[in-house]
Amino acid sequence: MDLINRPRRLRRTPVLRRMVRETRLSPDALILPFFVMEGKGIKQEIASMPGQYHYSCDTLPAGVEQAVNSGVGAVLLFGIPDEKDATGSGAWADEGVVQRAVRTLRTRFPELLIVTDVCLCEYTDHGHCGVLDSETVDNDKTLPLLASTALSHVRAGADMVAPSDMMDGRVAAIREMLDQNGHSHIPVMSYAAKYASAFYGPFREAAGSAPGKGDRKGYQMDPHNAKEAMLEVGLDSVEGADILMIKPALSYLDVIRQVADQALRPVAAYSVSGEYAMIKAAARAGYLDEHAAMCESALSVFRAGADILITYYASELAQAMERGDIG
Ligand code: PBG
């Protein structure tokens, strides 16, 4: 037998196994989403997302504190207003639900990275991400409203804004608004390649943001396309996006890989509500091991090239990293 050329696999002791890991994870790369609603004393579990809650502004800090204690350093806030209207005016109200939540968290957690979702769909009575011109979304009329929303979040103390609406030109509109008002240091994390996905189902229930009529296929991407994602990412980069996000994560690992290889900006992946709900439901039914499935899914996203992972499992993942289950 030719011993020199005999193919060999590394014999793995635990120490060696950790030594040769190609993918390294850190809690620093995690962002945990929170849903904030009006009212007081609310901490209500979201039926389609067990383990995730609707908080009011006064109960939110306790929820965030738990995450911070697990090692999570960044949150992404979604607001659920009581009142909705045709233009989504609650989105940029000074006393809006997100603005109040940001102010509360800012004083309680000076070190926390507070990111806000910038979109109108939770605030419009029709549930679309922009204002309507009869039946369709009017892209250009929506831009100044998104820019005002971003500015009001930043004035409340947000560290970064994340536009999720997918209107053309919104990154540039937000960038210009922030720059003109003395916030040129605030980064924009754009949902650059956001697919029209079935995996947002539980979120839309949580946020009450399912479109009343029609769907979002006019402005969200077709899952058939990957090159188009590169186009979207390129456009957002040119407009001034600082971090490029791909969403959802698991069904779009190829897109994450392509963007990571080609873009010159950090890449974030959003492991969305349906991805979380799938693991939860299967684990509850006894079909799979929740912890192992959670770890493996998160790993795959980083292995595909993501620098940042937005996930409802952020606290549990941070703890898993701390224990060395993944790392
Ligand atoms: C839109 C928005 C959505 C999500 C984040 N921002 C829903 C949508 O486009 O319908 C989905 C997040 C998730 O499913 O976890 N504001």
Side-chain angles (χ1 to χ4, degrees), residues 155-312:
R155 284 190 168 146
D159 297 297
M160 178 153 80
V161 290
S164 67
D165 51 281
M166 291 302 275
M167 298 300 124
D168 289 330
R170 90 265 202 227
V171 174
I174 289 172
R175 185 71 272 156
E176 187 178 77
M177 179 69 102
L178 294 181
D179 289 354
Q180 280 171 355
N181 287 277
H183 300 293
S184 51
H185 59 292
I186 297 287
V188 175
M189 172 166 72
S190 78
Y191 290 65
K194 177 172 175 177
Y195 284 88
S197 170
F199 292 102
Y200 307 148
F203 172 96
R204 290 183 186 169
E205 189 193 319
S209 68
K213 251 199 237 162
D215 54 35
R216 302 205 210 290
K217 292 193 174 131
Y219 44 99
Q220 296 186 350
M221 288 182 47
D222 182 344
H224 292 82
N225 300 344
K227 266 191 284 192
E228 193 185 359
M230 297 311 297
L231 177 67
E232 292 278 1
V233 161
L235 291 174
D236 280 13
S237 296
V238 171
E239 288 182 33
D242 298 279
I243 297 176
L244 303 164
M245 193 208 297
I246 319 298
K247 174 188 169 192
L250 276 193
S251 305
Y252 300 90
L253 294 175
D254 59 320
V255 178
I256 296 174
R257 169 46 65 201
Q258 272 190 54
V259 175
D261 284 345
Q262 291 179 43
L264 298 175
R265 305 259 179 208
V267 177
Y270 195 149
S271 183
V272 299
S273 54
E275 300 179 46
Y276 175 84
M278 260 192 315
I279 297 182
K280 279 279 173 198
R284 287 197 160 188
Y287 296 160
L288 52 70
D289 173 339
E290 179 176 16
H291 182 76
M294 165 190 86
C295 289
E296 192 176 327
S297 316
L299 256 180
S300 73
V301 176
F302 286 111
R303 198 186 58 239
D307 303 292
I308 299 165
L309 174 61
I310 304 164
T311 170
Y312 301 97

